[in-house]
Amino acid sequence: MHCNRKATPGVLKGRSVATALLAATTVLAGCERGSSSGPEESTTGSSGCPAAQARAQAAVRQAEKTDVPWNGPTSGPPAVSGKTIVYVAQTMTNPGVAGAAKGVRAAARVIGWNVRVIDGGGTPAGIQAAMSEAVALKPSGIVIGGFDPNSTSRQVSRANAARIPLIGWHAVAAPGPSRRPRLFTNVTTDVDDVARVSAQWVISHSNGHAGVVVFTDASIPFAKNKSELIRKELATCSGVKLLAYEDIPIPDASSRTPREVSSLLSRFQGRWTYSVAINDLYFADAAPAFRAAGEKGSGPPFNIGAGDGDPSAFQRINSEQYQAATVPEPLSLQGWQIIDEFNRAFSGRPASGYVAPVHITTADNSDGATTWDPSGYREAYRKIWGT
């Protein structure tokens, strides 16, 4: 078991606090995987970054609200009949990808369409084969579920040439239509907002004093961009030190994460007080290593997932088992949005432009739920479609 920790986590004396204040890029360059910081400082007393913490606290309070009214589309084309959608999944072991697929299926039943899911298995060859199969089926539309369309550029070109609308879920960096690659739209929360608020939760929760590990999958451009934004926001607080930046591909997470966590615990011990991961599943895989090391489930380290919010993440949060918070995607809502966007494409209408607002789930505001499912969207989409 590692050294005893207080509820208020320790602070690390950075390699170059002055440089961090002058340029976040220098902090980023000095915080690559394997880097470490100096001895701990006392965390009692004032904030490690009063101005940044004040901004963080305000943003976190807003994101933790649960009584958010529906702010999505209320008008659009009525349901088109007889359509078939193929959902190509990066891997169905990714809970976010699987959750969005479940939402697509549920919405398709309501609108009267057929859905087929093809699992890419998390490998480049598997995803390319899945996309080839999807295009060969000549469906009404294809969902690019959680992978980079540029990794299947030939298949995307064939779909474009066949005038098969493509809609992404976490496929490119930004929500909305994409010209290169050509997507009718990309459904996601705003990655800037997700990354920023997850880092702000660390700043707010730690009183501006934290030693942080970031977990990412740099093979996915969307995920890599998110983690870069996370550490950029963390760098706005001089009292927050990035201890390590762990690049673990999602398909390898179950085998690699426990080993990496054990190594990090040994290396940093009590200095590691917070973690941010681009996907909640890292903490499912990290839990056995934390438990074996004798770490308390309620933390530290206090762990926040910057995305997805699958049921197992909610269960860990609600039971205080090695995850304190998540910035969940409203996966069911996004599945319904994907179907609505296809209906707009089939009707010759533009994309809706809707982007779901970010939300932070903790044990204090989850009310025992296992998903983040905002109210109002089912009724709104049913009314639009006339179903």
Side-chain angles (χ1 to χ4, degrees), residues 146-212:
F147 61 89
D148 179 11
N150 292 315
S151 68
T152 59
S153 57
R154 291 181 181 179
Q155 293 86 349
V156 166
S157 294
R158 289 202 291 268
N160 291 158
R163 298 186 180 276
I164 300 171
L166 302 176
I167 290 181
W169 180 85
H170 285 212
V172 294
S178 170
R179 299 181 72 178
R180 294 183 180 178
R182 194 193 311 168
L183 305 179
F184 180 74
T185 195
N186 181 53
V187 175
T188 176
T189 49
D190 191 302
V191 67
D192 292 50
D193 292 342
V194 172
R196 185 181 303 111
V197 82
S198 63
Q200 287 173 326
W201 181 87
V202 171
I203 295 168
S204 175
H205 193 264
S206 69
N207 197 33
H209 298 287
V212 186

Short mmCIF file of all heavy atoms in Angstrom, two decimals, residues 146-212:
data_model
loop_
_atom_site.label_atom_id
_atom_site.label_comp_id
_atom_site.label_asym_id
_atom_site.label_seq_id
_atom_site.Cartn_x
_atom_site.Cartn_y
_atom_site.Cartn_z
N GLY A 146 -17.40 6.22 -34.22
CA GLY A 146 -16.27 6.34 -33.32
C GLY A 146 -14.91 6.07 -33.92
O GLY A 146 -13.98 5.75 -33.18
N PHE A 147 -14.75 6.22 -35.23
CA PHE A 147 -13.42 6.06 -35.83
C PHE A 147 -13.20 7.15 -36.87
O PHE A 147 -14.12 7.82 -37.32
CB PHE A 147 -13.24 4.67 -36.44
CG PHE A 147 -14.19 4.34 -37.55
CD1 PHE A 147 -13.89 4.63 -38.87
CD2 PHE A 147 -15.41 3.72 -37.27
CE1 PHE A 147 -14.78 4.32 -39.90
CE2 PHE A 147 -16.30 3.40 -38.29
CZ PHE A 147 -15.98 3.70 -39.60
N ASP A 148 -11.94 7.33 -37.23
CA ASP A 148 -11.53 8.37 -38.17
C ASP A 148 -11.93 7.97 -39.59
O ASP A 148 -11.43 6.96 -40.11
CB ASP A 148 -10.02 8.57 -38.06
CG ASP A 148 -9.48 9.62 -39.02
OD1 ASP A 148 -10.29 10.35 -39.62
OD2 ASP A 148 -8.24 9.70 -39.16
N PRO A 149 -12.78 8.73 -40.26
CA PRO A 149 -13.17 8.38 -41.63
C PRO A 149 -11.98 8.33 -42.57
O PRO A 149 -12.01 7.61 -43.58
CB PRO A 149 -14.14 9.50 -42.02
CG PRO A 149 -14.58 10.10 -40.73
CD PRO A 149 -13.47 9.94 -39.77
N ASN A 150 -10.92 9.09 -42.27
CA ASN A 150 -9.76 9.10 -43.15
C ASN A 150 -9.02 7.76 -43.14
O ASN A 150 -8.25 7.46 -44.05
CB ASN A 150 -8.80 10.21 -42.74
CG ASN A 150 -9.39 11.59 -43.02
OD1 ASN A 150 -9.95 11.83 -44.09
ND2 ASN A 150 -9.29 12.49 -42.05
N SER A 151 -9.28 6.95 -42.09
CA SER A 151 -8.66 5.62 -42.05
C SER A 151 -9.37 4.65 -43.00
O SER A 151 -8.87 3.55 -43.25
CB SER A 151 -8.69 5.06 -40.63
OG SER A 151 -10.03 4.77 -40.22
N THR A 152 -10.52 5.06 -43.51
CA THR A 152 -11.27 4.25 -44.49
C THR A 152 -11.60 5.13 -45.71
O THR A 152 -12.73 5.14 -46.19
CB THR A 152 -12.56 3.68 -43.87
OG1 THR A 152 -13.38 4.76 -43.41
CG2 THR A 152 -12.25 2.76 -42.70
N SER A 153 -10.61 5.88 -46.16
CA SER A 153 -10.86 6.89 -47.19
C SER A 153 -11.41 6.30 -48.48
O SER A 153 -12.26 6.91 -49.14
CB SER A 153 -9.58 7.68 -47.46
OG SER A 153 -8.53 6.82 -47.85
N ARG A 154 -10.95 5.11 -48.86
CA ARG A 154 -11.46 4.49 -50.09
C ARG A 154 -12.94 4.16 -49.96
O ARG A 154 -13.73 4.41 -50.88
CB ARG A 154 -10.67 3.22 -50.41
CG ARG A 154 -9.23 3.48 -50.84
CD ARG A 154 -8.52 2.19 -51.17
NE ARG A 154 -7.14 2.41 -51.56
CZ ARG A 154 -6.28 1.45 -51.89
NH1 ARG A 154 -6.70 0.17 -51.86
NH2 ARG A 154 -5.05 1.73 -52.23
N GLN A 155 -13.30 3.59 -48.83
CA GLN A 155 -14.71 3.23 -48.61
C GLN A 155 -15.58 4.48 -48.52
O GLN A 155 -16.71 4.49 -49.03
CB GLN A 155 -14.83 2.38 -47.35
CG GLN A 155 -14.19 1.01 -47.45
CD GLN A 155 -12.71 1.00 -47.10
OE1 GLN A 155 -12.08 2.04 -46.96
NE2 GLN A 155 -12.15 -0.20 -46.95
N VAL A 156 -15.06 5.51 -47.87
CA VAL A 156 -15.81 6.78 -47.78
C VAL A 156 -16.02 7.36 -49.17
O VAL A 156 -17.12 7.83 -49.51
CB VAL A 156 -15.07 7.77 -46.86
CG1 VAL A 156 -15.64 9.19 -47.02
CG2 VAL A 156 -15.16 7.33 -45.40
N SER A 157 -14.99 7.31 -50.00
CA SER A 157 -15.11 7.82 -51.38
C SER A 157 -16.16 7.04 -52.16
O SER A 157 -16.95 7.63 -52.92
CB SER A 157 -13.76 7.76 -52.09
OG SER A 157 -12.84 8.63 -51.49
N ARG A 158 -16.18 5.71 -51.99
CA ARG A 158 -17.18 4.90 -52.69
C ARG A 158 -18.59 5.24 -52.22
O ARG A 158 -19.53 5.31 -53.03
CB ARG A 158 -16.89 3.41 -52.49
CG ARG A 158 -15.66 2.92 -53.24
CD ARG A 158 -15.70 1.42 -53.47
NE ARG A 158 -15.54 0.67 -52.24
CZ ARG A 158 -14.38 0.25 -51.76
NH1 ARG A 158 -13.25 0.54 -52.40
NH2 ARG A 158 -14.32 -0.44 -50.64
N ALA A 159 -18.74 5.45 -50.90
CA ALA A 159 -20.06 5.82 -50.37
C ALA A 159 -20.49 7.18 -50.90
O ALA A 159 -21.65 7.37 -51.29
CB ALA A 159 -20.02 5.83 -48.85
N ASN A 160 -19.54 8.13 -50.94
CA ASN A 160 -19.86 9.46 -51.48
C ASN A 160 -20.28 9.37 -52.95
O ASN A 160 -21.25 10.01 -53.37
CB ASN A 160 -18.65 10.39 -51.35
CG ASN A 160 -18.31 10.78 -49.91
OD1 ASN A 160 -17.17 11.16 -49.63
ND2 ASN A 160 -19.26 10.68 -49.00
N ALA A 161 -19.54 8.55 -53.72
CA ALA A 161 -19.86 8.40 -55.13
C ALA A 161 -21.22 7.76 -55.34
O ALA A 161 -21.94 8.08 -56.30
CB ALA A 161 -18.78 7.57 -55.83
N ALA A 162 -21.60 6.87 -54.42
CA ALA A 162 -22.90 6.21 -54.50
C ALA A 162 -24.02 7.04 -53.88
O ALA A 162 -25.16 6.59 -53.81
CB ALA A 162 -22.83 4.84 -53.81
N ARG A 163 -23.66 8.24 -53.42
CA ARG A 163 -24.62 9.15 -52.79
C ARG A 163 -25.29 8.52 -51.56
O ARG A 163 -26.49 8.71 -51.32
CB ARG A 163 -25.67 9.62 -53.79
CG ARG A 163 -25.07 10.41 -54.95
CD ARG A 163 -26.15 10.99 -55.87
NE ARG A 163 -25.55 11.72 -56.97
CZ ARG A 163 -25.15 13.00 -56.92
NH1 ARG A 163 -25.27 13.67 -55.79
NH2 ARG A 163 -24.63 13.58 -57.98
N ILE A 164 -24.50 7.77 -50.81
CA ILE A 164 -24.98 7.22 -49.53
C ILE A 164 -24.59 8.22 -48.44
O ILE A 164 -23.40 8.44 -48.22
CB ILE A 164 -24.34 5.85 -49.23
CG1 ILE A 164 -24.68 4.85 -50.33
CG2 ILE A 164 -24.80 5.34 -47.86
CD1 ILE A 164 -23.91 3.54 -50.20
N PRO A 165 -25.55 8.85 -47.79
CA PRO A 165 -25.20 9.83 -46.74
C PRO A 165 -24.41 9.16 -45.61
O PRO A 165 -24.74 8.05 -45.18
CB PRO A 165 -26.55 10.33 -46.24
CG PRO A 165 -27.53 9.98 -47.31
CD PRO A 165 -27.00 8.74 -47.96
N LEU A 166 -23.37 9.84 -45.16
CA LEU A 166 -22.56 9.38 -44.04
C LEU A 166 -22.76 10.32 -42.86
O LEU A 166 -22.65 11.54 -43.02
CB LEU A 166 -21.08 9.34 -44.41
CG LEU A 166 -20.67 8.47 -45.59
CD1 LEU A 166 -19.17 8.62 -45.88
CD2 LEU A 166 -21.02 7.01 -45.33
N ILE A 167 -23.04 9.75 -41.70
CA ILE A 167 -23.14 10.54 -40.48
C ILE A 167 -22.18 9.96 -39.46
O ILE A 167 -22.14 8.74 -39.25
CB ILE A 167 -24.58 10.55 -39.93
CG1 ILE A 167 -25.48 11.38 -40.86
CG2 ILE A 167 -24.63 11.10 -38.50
CD1 ILE A 167 -26.92 11.48 -40.41
N GLY A 168 -21.38 10.81 -38.87
CA GLY A 168 -20.40 10.37 -37.89
C GLY A 168 -20.91 10.49 -36.47
O GLY A 168 -21.73 11.35 -36.16
N TRP A 169 -20.44 9.59 -35.63
CA TRP A 169 -20.56 9.75 -34.18
C TRP A 169 -19.13 9.76 -33.65
O TRP A 169 -18.41 8.76 -33.75
CB TRP A 169 -21.37 8.62 -33.53
CG TRP A 169 -21.47 8.80 -32.03
CD1 TRP A 169 -22.40 9.55 -31.38
CD2 TRP A 169 -20.61 8.25 -31.02
NE1 TRP A 169 -22.16 9.52 -30.01
CE2 TRP A 169 -21.07 8.72 -29.77
CE3 TRP A 169 -19.49 7.42 -31.06
CZ2 TRP A 169 -20.44 8.39 -28.56
CZ3 TRP A 169 -18.86 7.09 -29.85
CH2 TRP A 169 -19.35 7.56 -28.63
N HIS A 170 -18.70 10.92 -33.12
CA HIS A 170 -17.32 11.08 -32.66
C HIS A 170 -16.33 10.72 -33.77
O HIS A 170 -15.27 10.15 -33.52
CB HIS A 170 -17.05 10.21 -31.43
CG HIS A 170 -17.66 10.73 -30.18
ND1 HIS A 170 -17.09 10.55 -28.95
CD2 HIS A 170 -18.79 11.43 -29.96
CE1 HIS A 170 -17.84 11.12 -28.01
NE2 HIS A 170 -18.88 11.65 -28.62
N ALA A 171 -16.65 11.07 -35.00
CA ALA A 171 -15.83 10.67 -36.14
C ALA A 171 -14.77 11.71 -36.50
O ALA A 171 -13.68 11.36 -36.94
CB ALA A 171 -16.71 10.39 -37.35
N VAL A 172 -15.11 12.97 -36.35
CA VAL A 172 -14.15 14.06 -36.58
C VAL A 172 -14.16 14.97 -35.37
O VAL A 172 -14.95 14.80 -34.44
CB VAL A 172 -14.49 14.84 -37.87
CG1 VAL A 172 -14.30 13.95 -39.10
CG2 VAL A 172 -15.90 15.40 -37.84
N ALA A 173 -13.27 15.94 -35.37
CA ALA A 173 -13.02 16.72 -34.15
C ALA A 173 -14.19 17.60 -33.72
O ALA A 173 -14.35 17.86 -32.53
CB ALA A 173 -11.77 17.57 -34.33
N ALA A 174 -14.99 18.06 -34.66
CA ALA A 174 -16.03 19.03 -34.33
C ALA A 174 -17.41 18.49 -34.69
O ALA A 174 -17.56 17.69 -35.61
CB ALA A 174 -15.78 20.34 -35.07
N PRO A 175 -18.44 18.96 -33.99
CA PRO A 175 -19.81 18.60 -34.38
C PRO A 175 -20.23 19.33 -35.64
O PRO A 175 -19.67 20.37 -35.99
CB PRO A 175 -20.64 19.04 -33.17
CG PRO A 175 -19.85 20.14 -32.54
CD PRO A 175 -18.41 19.81 -32.78
N GLY A 176 -21.21 18.75 -36.33
CA GLY A 176 -21.76 19.40 -37.51
C GLY A 176 -21.23 18.82 -38.82
O GLY A 176 -20.45 17.87 -38.82
N PRO A 177 -21.66 19.38 -39.96
CA PRO A 177 -21.25 18.87 -41.27
C PRO A 177 -19.74 18.95 -41.46
O PRO A 177 -19.06 19.82 -40.90
CB PRO A 177 -21.98 19.78 -42.25
CG PRO A 177 -23.17 20.30 -41.47
CD PRO A 177 -22.67 20.45 -40.06
N SER A 178 -19.21 18.03 -42.26
CA SER A 178 -17.78 18.00 -42.58
C SER A 178 -17.63 17.91 -44.09
O SER A 178 -18.30 17.11 -44.74
CB SER A 178 -17.11 16.80 -41.91
OG SER A 178 -15.79 16.62 -42.37
N ARG A 179 -16.72 18.72 -44.64
CA ARG A 179 -16.48 18.70 -46.09
C ARG A 179 -15.37 17.73 -46.46
O ARG A 179 -15.43 17.08 -47.49
CB ARG A 179 -16.13 20.12 -46.57
CG ARG A 179 -17.25 21.11 -46.31
CD ARG A 179 -16.91 22.50 -46.80
NE ARG A 179 -16.93 22.60 -48.25
CZ ARG A 179 -16.70 23.73 -48.91
NH1 ARG A 179 -16.44 24.85 -48.26
NH2 ARG A 179 -16.74 23.73 -50.24
N ARG A 180 -14.33 17.65 -45.64
CA ARG A 180 -13.23 16.72 -45.88
C ARG A 180 -12.87 16.05 -44.55
O ARG A 180 -12.25 16.69 -43.70
CB ARG A 180 -12.00 17.45 -46.44
CG ARG A 180 -12.22 18.02 -47.81
CD ARG A 180 -10.93 18.66 -48.32
NE ARG A 180 -11.13 19.23 -49.66
CZ ARG A 180 -10.17 19.89 -50.32
NH1 ARG A 180 -8.95 20.04 -49.77
NH2 ARG A 180 -10.41 20.38 -51.52
N PRO A 181 -13.28 14.82 -44.37
CA PRO A 181 -14.08 13.95 -45.24
C PRO A 181 -15.53 14.43 -45.33
O PRO A 181 -16.00 15.16 -44.46
CB PRO A 181 -14.00 12.59 -44.53
CG PRO A 181 -13.83 12.95 -43.09
CD PRO A 181 -12.97 14.16 -43.08
N ARG A 182 -16.22 13.99 -46.36
CA ARG A 182 -17.58 14.46 -46.59
C ARG A 182 -18.57 13.68 -45.72
O ARG A 182 -18.86 12.50 -45.97
CB ARG A 182 -17.98 14.32 -48.06
CG ARG A 182 -19.25 15.11 -48.40
CD ARG A 182 -19.81 14.74 -49.75
NE ARG A 182 -18.81 14.72 -50.80
CZ ARG A 182 -19.01 14.21 -52.01
NH1 ARG A 182 -20.18 13.63 -52.31
NH2 ARG A 182 -18.04 14.22 -52.92
N LEU A 183 -19.05 14.34 -44.69
CA LEU A 183 -20.07 13.78 -43.80
C LEU A 183 -21.25 14.73 -43.78
O LEU A 183 -21.07 15.96 -43.69
CB LEU A 183 -19.54 13.63 -42.37
CG LEU A 183 -18.25 12.83 -42.14
CD1 LEU A 183 -17.89 12.84 -40.66
CD2 LEU A 183 -18.41 11.41 -42.66
N PHE A 184 -22.46 14.17 -43.82
CA PHE A 184 -23.65 15.02 -43.71
C PHE A 184 -23.60 15.79 -42.40
O PHE A 184 -23.90 16.99 -42.36
CB PHE A 184 -24.93 14.18 -43.80
CG PHE A 184 -26.18 15.00 -43.70
CD1 PHE A 184 -26.60 15.79 -44.76
CD2 PHE A 184 -26.93 15.01 -42.53
CE1 PHE A 184 -27.76 16.57 -44.66
CE2 PHE A 184 -28.08 15.78 -42.41
CZ PHE A 184 -28.49 16.56 -43.49
N THR A 185 -23.20 15.11 -41.33
CA THR A 185 -22.95 15.77 -40.05
C THR A 185 -22.20 14.81 -39.14
O THR A 185 -22.11 13.62 -39.42
CB THR A 185 -24.27 16.25 -39.39
OG1 THR A 185 -23.96 17.17 -38.34
CG2 THR A 185 -25.06 15.08 -38.81
N ASN A 186 -21.65 15.36 -38.08
CA ASN A 186 -20.96 14.57 -37.06
C ASN A 186 -21.64 14.85 -35.72
O ASN A 186 -21.76 16.01 -35.31
CB ASN A 186 -19.49 14.97 -36.98
CG ASN A 186 -18.71 14.17 -35.95
OD1 ASN A 186 -18.74 12.94 -35.96
ND2 ASN A 186 -18.02 14.86 -35.06
N VAL A 187 -22.14 13.82 -35.08
CA VAL A 187 -22.91 13.97 -33.84
C VAL A 187 -22.00 13.75 -32.64
O VAL A 187 -21.40 12.68 -32.48
CB VAL A 187 -24.10 12.99 -33.81
CG1 VAL A 187 -24.82 13.07 -32.47
CG2 VAL A 187 -25.06 13.31 -34.96
N THR A 188 -21.90 14.75 -31.82
CA THR A 188 -21.08 14.70 -30.61
C THR A 188 -21.35 15.95 -29.80
O THR A 188 -21.84 16.95 -30.32
CB THR A 188 -19.58 14.64 -30.97
OG1 THR A 188 -18.80 14.67 -29.77
CG2 THR A 188 -19.16 15.81 -31.83
N THR A 189 -21.04 15.89 -28.51
CA THR A 189 -20.94 17.13 -27.78
C THR A 189 -19.69 17.86 -28.29
O THR A 189 -18.86 17.29 -28.98
CB THR A 189 -20.81 16.87 -26.27
OG1 THR A 189 -19.80 15.89 -26.04
CG2 THR A 189 -22.11 16.41 -25.66
N ASP A 190 -19.56 19.12 -27.95
CA ASP A 190 -18.41 19.90 -28.39
C ASP A 190 -17.18 19.45 -27.61
O ASP A 190 -17.13 19.57 -26.39
CB ASP A 190 -18.67 21.39 -28.16
CG ASP A 190 -17.63 22.26 -28.82
OD1 ASP A 190 -16.43 22.09 -28.51
OD2 ASP A 190 -18.00 23.12 -29.64
N VAL A 191 -16.20 18.89 -28.32
CA VAL A 191 -15.04 18.32 -27.65
C VAL A 191 -14.29 19.37 -26.84
O VAL A 191 -13.73 19.07 -25.77
CB VAL A 191 -14.10 17.63 -28.67
CG1 VAL A 191 -13.47 18.64 -29.61
CG2 VAL A 191 -13.03 16.82 -27.95
N ASP A 192 -14.27 20.62 -27.31
CA ASP A 192 -13.63 21.68 -26.54
C ASP A 192 -14.30 21.84 -25.18
O ASP A 192 -13.63 21.99 -24.15
CB ASP A 192 -13.70 23.01 -27.30
CG ASP A 192 -12.84 23.01 -28.55
OD1 ASP A 192 -12.95 22.06 -29.35
OD2 ASP A 192 -12.07 23.96 -28.73
N ASP A 193 -15.64 21.82 -25.19
CA ASP A 193 -16.38 21.99 -23.94
C ASP A 193 -16.16 20.81 -23.00
O ASP A 193 -16.00 20.99 -21.79
CB ASP A 193 -17.88 22.16 -24.23
CG ASP A 193 -18.20 23.46 -24.94
OD1 ASP A 193 -17.36 24.37 -24.92
OD2 ASP A 193 -19.30 23.56 -25.52
N VAL A 194 -16.18 19.59 -23.55
CA VAL A 194 -15.98 18.40 -22.73
C VAL A 194 -14.60 18.40 -22.10
O VAL A 194 -14.44 18.16 -20.90
CB VAL A 194 -16.18 17.12 -23.57
CG1 VAL A 194 -15.79 15.88 -22.78
CG2 VAL A 194 -17.63 17.00 -24.03
N ALA A 195 -13.58 18.66 -22.92
CA ALA A 195 -12.21 18.68 -22.41
C ALA A 195 -12.04 19.77 -21.36
O ALA A 195 -11.46 19.54 -20.29
CB ALA A 195 -11.24 18.90 -23.56
N ARG A 196 -12.56 20.94 -21.67
CA ARG A 196 -12.39 22.07 -20.75
C ARG A 196 -13.05 21.81 -19.41
O ARG A 196 -12.45 22.01 -18.35
CB ARG A 196 -12.96 23.35 -21.38
CG ARG A 196 -12.72 24.61 -20.55
CD ARG A 196 -13.32 25.83 -21.21
NE ARG A 196 -12.79 26.03 -22.55
CZ ARG A 196 -13.49 25.87 -23.66
NH1 ARG A 196 -14.77 25.49 -23.60
NH2 ARG A 196 -12.94 26.07 -24.83
N VAL A 197 -14.29 21.33 -19.42
CA VAL A 197 -15.01 21.18 -18.16
C VAL A 197 -14.46 20.03 -17.33
O VAL A 197 -14.50 20.07 -16.10
CB VAL A 197 -16.53 21.04 -18.40
CG1 VAL A 197 -16.92 19.62 -18.76
CG2 VAL A 197 -17.31 21.52 -17.18
N SER A 198 -13.91 18.99 -17.97
CA SER A 198 -13.31 17.89 -17.20
C SER A 198 -12.05 18.38 -16.48
O SER A 198 -11.82 18.03 -15.31
CB SER A 198 -12.99 16.70 -18.10
OG SER A 198 -12.04 17.05 -19.09
N ALA A 199 -11.26 19.19 -17.16
CA ALA A 199 -10.08 19.77 -16.52
C ALA A 199 -10.49 20.78 -15.45
O ALA A 199 -9.86 20.86 -14.38
CB ALA A 199 -9.18 20.43 -17.56
N GLN A 200 -11.54 21.54 -15.72
CA GLN A 200 -12.02 22.51 -14.73
C GLN A 200 -12.54 21.82 -13.48
O GLN A 200 -12.42 22.35 -12.37
CB GLN A 200 -13.10 23.40 -15.35
CG GLN A 200 -12.53 24.40 -16.34
CD GLN A 200 -13.62 25.16 -17.09
OE1 GLN A 200 -14.69 24.63 -17.39
NE2 GLN A 200 -13.35 26.43 -17.38
N TRP A 201 -13.12 20.63 -13.64
CA TRP A 201 -13.56 19.87 -12.47
C TRP A 201 -12.38 19.54 -11.58
O TRP A 201 -12.46 19.64 -10.35
CB TRP A 201 -14.28 18.60 -12.90
CG TRP A 201 -14.79 17.78 -11.74
CD1 TRP A 201 -15.99 17.92 -11.11
CD2 TRP A 201 -14.10 16.70 -11.08
NE1 TRP A 201 -16.09 16.99 -10.08
CE2 TRP A 201 -14.95 16.24 -10.05
CE3 TRP A 201 -12.87 16.10 -11.27
CZ2 TRP A 201 -14.59 15.19 -9.20
CZ3 TRP A 201 -12.51 15.06 -10.43
CH2 TRP A 201 -13.36 14.61 -9.41
N VAL A 202 -11.26 19.16 -12.18
CA VAL A 202 -10.04 18.88 -11.41
C VAL A 202 -9.58 20.13 -10.68
O VAL A 202 -9.27 20.10 -9.48
CB VAL A 202 -8.92 18.35 -12.33
CG1 VAL A 202 -7.59 18.27 -11.58
CG2 VAL A 202 -9.29 16.98 -12.89
N ILE A 203 -9.53 21.26 -11.39
CA ILE A 203 -9.08 22.51 -10.79
C ILE A 203 -10.00 22.92 -9.64
O ILE A 203 -9.54 23.29 -8.56
CB ILE A 203 -9.02 23.62 -11.86
CG1 ILE A 203 -7.94 23.29 -12.91
CG2 ILE A 203 -8.75 24.98 -11.23
CD1 ILE A 203 -8.00 24.17 -14.15
N SER A 204 -11.31 22.82 -9.87
CA SER A 204 -12.29 23.21 -8.85
C SER A 204 -12.26 22.27 -7.66
O SER A 204 -12.20 22.70 -6.51
CB SER A 204 -13.69 23.23 -9.47
OG SER A 204 -14.67 23.49 -8.50
N HIS A 205 -12.30 20.96 -7.93
CA HIS A 205 -12.40 19.96 -6.87
C HIS A 205 -11.14 19.92 -6.00
O HIS A 205 -11.21 19.63 -4.80
CB HIS A 205 -12.63 18.59 -7.51
CG HIS A 205 -13.05 17.51 -6.57
ND1 HIS A 205 -12.15 16.62 -6.01
CD2 HIS A 205 -14.26 17.16 -6.08
CE1 HIS A 205 -12.79 15.77 -5.22
NE2 HIS A 205 -14.08 16.07 -5.25
N SER A 206 -9.99 20.25 -6.60
CA SER A 206 -8.71 20.16 -5.88
C SER A 206 -8.30 21.47 -5.22
O SER A 206 -7.22 21.52 -4.61
CB SER A 206 -7.61 19.74 -6.86
OG SER A 206 -7.33 20.77 -7.79
N ASN A 207 -9.12 22.51 -5.35
CA ASN A 207 -8.74 23.83 -4.85
C ASN A 207 -7.45 24.32 -5.53
O ASN A 207 -6.64 25.05 -4.94
CB ASN A 207 -8.56 23.83 -3.33
CG ASN A 207 -8.57 25.23 -2.74
OD1 ASN A 207 -9.25 26.12 -3.23
ND2 ASN A 207 -7.79 25.45 -1.68
N GLY A 208 -7.27 23.89 -6.77
CA GLY A 208 -6.12 24.35 -7.54
C GLY A 208 -4.81 23.70 -7.16
O GLY A 208 -3.74 24.24 -7.46
N HIS A 209 -4.87 22.52 -6.53
CA HIS A 209 -3.65 21.80 -6.13
C HIS A 209 -3.82 20.33 -6.52
O HIS A 209 -4.56 19.59 -5.87
CB HIS A 209 -3.43 21.88 -4.63
CG HIS A 209 -3.22 23.26 -4.10
ND1 HIS A 209 -2.05 23.96 -4.29
CD2 HIS A 209 -4.03 24.07 -3.36
CE1 HIS A 209 -2.15 25.15 -3.71
NE2 HIS A 209 -3.33 25.24 -3.15
N ALA A 210 -3.15 19.88 -7.59
CA ALA A 210 -3.34 18.50 -8.04
C ALA A 210 -2.14 18.00 -8.82
O ALA A 210 -1.47 18.77 -9.51
CB ALA A 210 -4.59 18.40 -8.92
N GLY A 211 -1.88 16.71 -8.68
CA GLY A 211 -0.95 15.99 -9.54
C GLY A 211 -1.76 15.06 -10.41
O GLY A 211 -2.46 14.18 -9.91
N VAL A 212 -1.71 15.25 -11.74
CA VAL A 212 -2.68 14.64 -12.65
C VAL A 212 -2.02 13.69 -13.64
O VAL A 212 -0.94 13.96 -14.18
CB VAL A 212 -3.45 15.73 -13.43
CG1 VAL A 212 -4.56 15.12 -14.27
CG2 VAL A 212 -4.01 16.78 -12.48
#
